[in-house]
Each structure stands twice: as C-alpha cells, then as structure tokens.
Amino acid sequence: MNIQTLLNQRIQAAMVASGAADDAPALVRQSAKVQFGDYQANGIMGAAKKIGTNPRDFAAKVLEQLDLSDVADKVEIAGPGFINIFLKNVWLGSTLESLRDSDRLDVATVTDPQTVVVDYSGPNLAKEMHVGHLRSTVIGDAVVRTLEFLGHNVVRQNHVGDWGTQFGMLLAYMERLREQNSEVSMALSDLETFYREAKICFDEDEAFSVRARELVVSLQSGDAECLKLWNEFIEVSLQHCEETYQMLGVSLSRADVKPESAYNDDLPKVIADLDAQGLIKEDQGAKCVFLEEFANKDGDITPIIVQKTGGGFLYATTDLAALRYRQGTLNADRVLYFVDARQSLHFQQIFTLSRKANFVKPETSLEHMPFGTVMGSDGKPFKTRSGGVAKLSALLEEAQERAFQLVASKNPDMPEDEQRNIGRVVGVASVKYADLSKNRTSDYVFNWDNMLSFEGNTAPYLLYAYSRVASIVRRSEMDVANFKAPISVVEEQERALAVKLCQFEEAIQQVINDGMPHFLCAYLYELAGIFMSFYEACPILNAEDDVKFSRLQLALNTASTLKQGLELLGIETLERM
RNA sequence: GCGCCUGUAGCUCAGUUGGAUAGAGCAUCCCCCUUCUAAGGGGAUGGUCGGGGGUUCGAAUCCCUCCAGGCGUGCCA
C-alpha cells in the first residue's frame, strides 16, 4: 500500500478536471504537523498560478471534483491553498488487515522490472579491507536488497582491484619467502603486515625492486608461473574479503566478483574503438580523449587519459570496458556506482565518453552514488589508536566485544553464549546502522558510544523495540502465524502507529529512487519510537479481548515491519535482548 | 587558477527536491516502574539554517557574491 501514490493520483485527476494542466503535480506529502492531517497536497498553489486563478478558489473547485470519502473523513483547504487530508480510522484498520495478510507487507512489486547493475564494495586485493570500504559495501548492499525486494533484476558487481604494479611487489615478496623456505600461507594470513614488509623490501632493496618490476611485466604478458603465484595471492585475499562479508552479513558472493583483470583483453579493443570513432588524440605521448564538456572558460580541456605513454592502461580504460560489458552483455537499464565522492570527476568523464562512443544506450541511466568519508572524533579520516588504517575485521570484532560487555553488564544472569550472540548481532548492527542512517553524501564521525547507545537513532534502539514486541507475542501465548482478528484504531497512539505502519512502502521507494538507505532508517526509527509510546499508553495483554486482539495485531505488524526493514538494511533481529 | 562537495541547537545528525511555527538524539533541568523488558516513556531549555544580496504568495532548499573547511584537477585507483 502506497498512500502517497494513491492520493497523488486522485488529487491530480481532480486538479486536471478542474482546469489544471495535464502535468500539474499534486505534490502530496506526509503532513508536516498533526493539525495539518496525515497528508497534504502542495501542488494547488503552483497550478492555480499557472492558470491565473486564486489558489483557494481553485482548491475549492478541486475539492468538488475530489471524492476521498472511502479513505478520508476530512479533507480541508488550509493556509494559502494547501489541501489537508485526514485519513479514516476504519480505513486504516482494514488497510492494516490486508498488510497483515500479505507475505510482503502489502508492498507492490514493480510492474516494469529493470536490470540494475550495482557496482559496490570493490576492495583492493593487495590489502585487507579497511574502514574505507565500509560505506560502499554496506550502503550498496542495502540498496541491492531493496531493489530486489521490489522485484528488479539486480546484478551485483564486485569490481575488485586485482591488477596493477603493486602486485609485482607482492609477488616478489612471495617468491622471496619461498626461497627462504618460509611459510607463505602463514605470512598471507595477515595481508596488512605482508604488504608492509613487501613495501619495505621494495623501498630498501634494489635487487628486490628490480625483480618486482620484472614480475609486473611477466604478469601482464601472461607468464604461466607468474600467473600461478598471482592466483594464489588473489585466492587468499578473496577469502579474507569473504570472511569480512560473512561477519558483516553482506550478500556478496564469489559469483559477484568481476575483477579488474577480467577486462584486460578488452582494453586494447576499447582504445581501437575510440580511435575508430576519431575520439583519440595523442598528447605528450599518451592517448587522450578531449571532450568539450570538460573545458574551462579559456577553452582548456581536462583530458581523459586512456592509455599511458609506453602503452599501459588506466582505470578510466577499465571502467569504460566494464561499462561496455554491463550494457552489452548484462543489458543494464540502470548502473549504480557506490564509490567514494572523490571520484566524481572520473565518473562524469567516463559516463560522458561512453555515451559519446555509444558504449551505452541513450536511455540507460548511469548514476554515481557518491559518499563521504568516515571521520574520527578529531574530524580527520578515521584511524586506529596507533594511527594506522583501521582493518574492517578488527573494527567489527571490537564492536562485538563492546556490545558483549554492555549486554553482560545489563543482563548478568543471561547465559554467556546468549550474551555473546547478542553482542555479535548488536555489535555488527551498530556499525552498519551508524553508517546507513546518515545521509550518504556527507562525511560522518565514527563514535562507538553514539552507535552503541540505546538512545536515539541507533541499531540497539531498534533491536530493543523489536525484542519488546517479540516478548509480548511470547507472553500472549497465541498462535500468531494464524492469528487474525479485526483491527480497530481508536486511541491516539494506536492511530499514529497505524498510519506509520501504512507508510513502509513510501520509505523503501525513497531508498531506491536516490540510493539512500537513511530514509528507511529514519522511517524505522520513527516507527520504533511511535511503538514505544503506544506500548506505554496502550496495555495489550491486560486489555479486554477485542481490544487486546486488535492491539496485538498492531504489535505484530510492527514486528514484521521492523524485521523486514532491518532485513533490507542487512541487519539481523533478536527475539530477546 | 579552475571544478565538485560541505557549512543547520554546545555535540552527533535529519529536513520527503520551493511549502505552513526548521526537527530528532546526546548533554542540562523537571516528571513516570504494585501494569506486557525503565536498555523505556512524558515534558522543559536551547536556532541570525556560515555572512550579505536577489528570484516570489512562500527559501535551510533555487540564482549571485563573499567567508571557512574538505576533495579533485594529463599519464595511481
């Protein structure tokens, strides 16, 4: 059920029937304040202006054409020409009953499913995943889950970095350890250390750095021995990633990995193709594309370098090849990139160029979904206490440990394995939710105390709200799976909860429109808050039977909405905490 | 130099694409456990939406300008 869409359609039709232009939007929104009802239409003023009439008079005409008597018991004109809509309690009750009877909370699947390619996570396999990969991975995964829930055909693409000069150094170090008969697999168990030690050899040992450069060349020319060594490294590194995904509860699997190296054979073809279209110009030894879209006021153009002096390719080339694959082979209608905001110029360039070179269809939507940096409390990019880059796995372990300590202190009588499990779920959820709940585009400050707090817009608060409902359900001793009773909306808190429950679909629609899960987080937080008020004001189990049954339904609907919403965010729920 | 992003309560963050009196949480100060988990709820205090102009019925939101910070800007990704 999408109330906003329903009202939009009806009011717009009434506006057109009253003389507004066919495309005049009704602009129905959730009301800003309770006295303005549940929904308000803001489009009257604009439409009236266009046809040169008084907004309030026009609003009156629209109301004559508008019949909302089935859903609303009051529709009024307010202020300069707003239309305020007050939903009918009986209708809210029956809407909730159908929501309850649906296995997907009455959220419609899309009528025109799109193939959406989502590029997210994309760690560099030379190192272990660190805090900088958190946002792309977590936000991308939430959007992917939401798109799938609405019925779109989603193709995950984990564009991991498995190629480039740094691998020469790493392979040379593997080789050296082998010569020294050292245990290579042990050394690879900590990629950070491995990388650091390889780097030291590279910087300090000339023979080593020469060997490293040789290995880059052999690797790129397809030398079998070298590829074997490389494959071994990549396999270990991918396993590290998968362990982190497992811990994080991210839906990426091996099948979604489409590494940079997969496009190696396409890179010369991309250049040839661009060249054939007359797009390439050689400048200072490099092959460049000069697009006038990237000219400054003086006419100087920032070039897109697609091939280096000496023949090497760059990430622009790889991204162009990837885009051609996503269009040509995967048939994308929409391609989303969850990548750091610092790469926005890069994406503007390859999007513009790939359209110019006909690598993608004009109607295909290419969207960079940029995000800001995770900051420490000092306002600088988040680091560990020792000043290093924070490994994601270590961060998650710390979160689980902190959450466990909290659970153990609040709930000392609980068996330890349950405390541990709650610590695990709450810890991971807290880290993910802290990230998901903030506006994607801005930087945010990483703060343990805030994210693990039970107060405010946090994972623990939501999980606690869910477990409270679960507790009531347990105590009710009802067969909830088959439990169906009429829902009647009477008290103020029941009504607020009912309206909120009906707005779930609107929240998830916002997530996929802009790739912004924080809208869903805000919704769930509001829902949980309204439920808490309802819980305080409206006793459930002690009420008379029909009231009790109705309220129990409201509680059940809250539980399933919280659970479904958190699932879309990639967050587990707990029946007890 | 040029380009992009950011600037909202003491702190951490929202603000549904131009709507009504700018909202939450923390912190501070008051209430509420003989009732389903008080890890909770109810209330109060707190704002020149970075500054200044403009557009219009109406601006945190759009335009111009200035200030502050971040990032990017021909061979890293």
Side-chain angles (χ1 to χ4, degrees):
Chain A
M1 166 56 60
N2 191 323
I3 302 174
Q4 190 181 19
T5 304
L6 179 130
L7 294 176
N8 243 323
Q9 285 165 352
R10 296 235 205 141
I11 294 173
Q12 199 190 347
M15 284 167 64
V16 173
S18 310
D22 287 349
D23 61 347
L27 298 177
V28 171
R29 301 286 124 94
Q30 291 171 21
S31 292
K33 296 192 187 307
V34 276
Q35 63 264 36
F36 302 149
D38 301 302
Y39 284 82
Q40 59 184 69
N42 298 337
I44 299 295
M45 283 87 79
K49 186 173 190 176
K50 275 209 177 115
I51 54 174
T53 167
N54 174 291
R56 285 193 68 107
D57 293 346
F58 181 64
K61 277 175 76 179
V62 171
L63 285 197
E64 281 169 29
Q65 299 292 329
L66 184 64
D67 180 14
L68 291 177
S69 57
D70 52 334
V71 300
D73 48 24
K74 189 161 78 164
V75 180
E76 64 182 22
I77 303 167
F82 296 100
I83 293 180
N84 293 337
I85 298 125
F86 298 75
L87 297 171
K88 214 185 236 182
N89 287 5
V90 176
W91 182 75
L92 287 170
S94 63
T95 302
L96 286 179
E97 285 163 20
S98 66
L99 190 147
R100 170 200 63 200
D101 298 340
S102 152
D103 59 357
R104 44 180 295 115
L105 298 168
D106 227 8
V107 175
T109 50
V110 288
T111 49
D112 53 338
Q114 291 183 307
T115 295
V116 187
V117 172
V118 185
D119 183 322
Y120 71 107
S121 193
N124 181 352
L125 296 184
K127 296 182 178 181
E128 265 175 68
M129 291 184 76
H130 55 84
V131 67
H133 298 112
L134 184 64
R135 306 213 73 186
S136 174
T137 306
V138 163
I139 298 173
D141 205 53
V143 173
V144 156
R145 289 165 185 264
T146 309
L147 284 164
E148 280 182 337
F149 183 66
L150 289 181
H152 290 291
N153 170 34
V154 176
V155 186
R156 294 163 173 78
Q157 291 281 279
N158 194 358
H159 191 81
V160 301
D162 65 340
W163 206 249
T165 47
Q166 54 199 336
F167 284 93
M169 177 182 93
L170 297 167
L171 299 187
Y173 193 61
M174 276 172 87
E175 213 176 54
R176 170 168 288 190
L177 289 178
R178 221 151 254 170
E179 282 161 9
Q180 295 168 347
N181 287 319
S182 301
E183 191 65 50
V184 177
S185 61
M186 270 301 278
L188 288 176
S189 67
D190 186 344
L191 280 186
E192 283 308 302
T193 311
F194 189 91
Y195 187 95
R196 213 178 311 123
E197 286 169 358
K199 184 82 166 64
I200 291 169
C201 293
F202 186 84
D203 291 339
E204 293 174 359
D205 181 342
E206 201 175 321
F208 183 92
S209 63
V210 168
R211 181 59 188 151
R213 279 187 257 274
E214 277 173 16
L215 282 169
V216 175
V217 176
S218 335
L219 183 65
Q220 286 174 345
S221 59
D223 176 81
E225 272 306 302
C226 194
L227 278 173
K228 202 179 148 203
L229 206 59
W230 172 76
N231 270 314
E232 203 180 310
F233 184 91
I234 296 303
E235 177 58 30
V236 171
S237 186
L238 272 177
Q239 278 172 21
H240 283 295
C241 289
E242 280 162 2
E243 280 166 26
T244 306
Y245 291 152
Q246 181 83 34
M247 228 193 288
L248 258 183
V250 160
S251 68
L252 283 167
S253 74
R254 189 62 71 101
D256 306 315
V257 174
K258 183 79 179 175
E260 284 179 352
S261 64
Y263 301 102
N264 283 350
D265 295 344
D266 288 338
L267 302 180
K269 295 181 199 162
V270 168
I271 303 295
D273 208 342
L274 293 172
D275 208 12
Q277 298 186 59
L279 287 163
I280 287 186
K281 206 188 249 178
E282 203 159 303
D283 194 78
Q284 298 170 33
K287 288 187 176 168
C288 304
V289 180
F290 289 86
L291 297 179
E292 54 204 37
E293 284 86 343
F294 300 98
N296 64 17
K297 277 180 271 180
D298 303 328
D300 299 328
I301 296 176
T302 306
I304 306 165
I305 304 177
V306 290
Q307 192 167 14
K308 297 195 271 191
T309 306
F313 300 105
L314 295 105
Y315 75 136
T317 332
T318 311
D319 272 332
L320 286 168
L323 202 35
R324 210 160 59 155
Y325 167 77
R326 290 164 186 185
Q327 179 70 86
T329 305
L330 299 177
N331 267 310
D333 297 307
R334 195 176 174 201
V335 188
L336 309 182
Y337 290 84
F338 287 90
V339 180
D340 198 300
R342 285 174 295 191
Q343 291 190 34
S344 57
L345 174 62
H346 165 71
F347 282 111
Q348 275 181 50
Q349 289 177 325
I350 66 157
F351 291 168
T352 309
L353 177 53
S354 59
R355 289 195 190 285
K356 196 142 287 189
N358 286 313
F359 290 173
V360 293
K361 297 178 190 164
E363 65 271 25
T364 302
S365 172
L366 307 176
E367 302 165 48
H368 179 209
M369 302 284 179
F371 50 80
T373 312
V374 182
M375 302 298 222
S377 47
D378 55 357
K380 292 179 184 155
F382 185 74
K383 295 271 166 56
T384 55
R385 277 177 295 268
S386 54
V389 176
K391 265 168 67 174
L392 200 41
S393 53
L395 199 73
L396 292 171
E397 275 160 21
E398 181 167 354
Q400 295 178 35
E401 179 60 28
R402 282 175 182 263
F404 164 73
Q405 296 296 344
L406 278 172
V407 175
S409 69
K410 300 278 186 194
N411 231 331
D413 298 333
M414 192 180 267
E416 185 176 334
D417 55 343
E418 189 173 358
Q419 291 174 337
R420 285 280 169 201
N421 188 51
I422 294 173
R424 179 185 65 79
V425 173
V426 172
V428 173
S430 297
V431 172
K432 292 181 82 169
Y433 191 84
D435 200 318
L436 290 165
S437 60
K438 269 104 188 166
N439 186 317
R440 198 190 66 223
T441 52
S442 45
D443 298 341
Y444 82 89
V445 177
F446 190 95
N447 183 303
W448 286 118
D449 293 333
N450 288 353
M451 70 176 71
L452 286 165
S453 166
F454 285 80
E455 287 154 348
N457 190 6
T458 64
Y461 181 80
L462 294 186
L463 293 174
Y464 176 63
Y466 177 80
S467 72
R468 264 186 144 177
V469 191
S471 167
I472 289 175
V473 172
R474 270 196 306 276
R475 284 172 165 271
S476 75
E477 295 176 341
M478 305 280 293
D479 174 14
V480 291
N482 302 302
F483 177 55
K484 283 174 187 175
I487 299 177
S488 57
V489 175
V490 181
E491 299 298 327
E492 181 194 332
Q493 289 86 353
E494 291 175 321
R495 190 176 192 288
L497 186 56
V499 171
K500 205 64 186 175
L501 286 167
C502 292
Q503 292 170 335
F504 182 57
E505 183 168 341
E506 292 172 35
I508 56 185
Q509 194 60 48
Q510 284 185 298
V511 174
I512 66 157
N513 287 347
D514 307 307
M516 290 191 154
H518 81 281
F519 286 119
L520 178 54
C521 296
Y523 168 82
L524 293 175
Y525 174 54
E526 285 160 17
L527 174 63
I530 290 169
F531 173 78
M532 293 290 200
S533 305
F534 161 82
Y535 180 95
E536 299 283 337
C538 304
I540 299 171
L541 300 178
N542 303 335
E544 295 292 317
D545 268 3
D546 46 344
V547 175
K548 170 177 165 182
F549 293 150
S550 172
R551 287 180 180 169
L552 201 50
Q553 303 284 307
L554 282 167
L556 280 168
N557 276 353
T558 305
S560 43
T561 303
L562 284 173
K563 190 177 181 120
Q564 179 66 67
L566 288 168
E567 199 174 303
L568 293 178
L569 296 172
I571 291 174
E572 282 181 64
T573 43
L574 291 160
E575 300 303 309
R576 235 162 70 99
M577 65 185 279

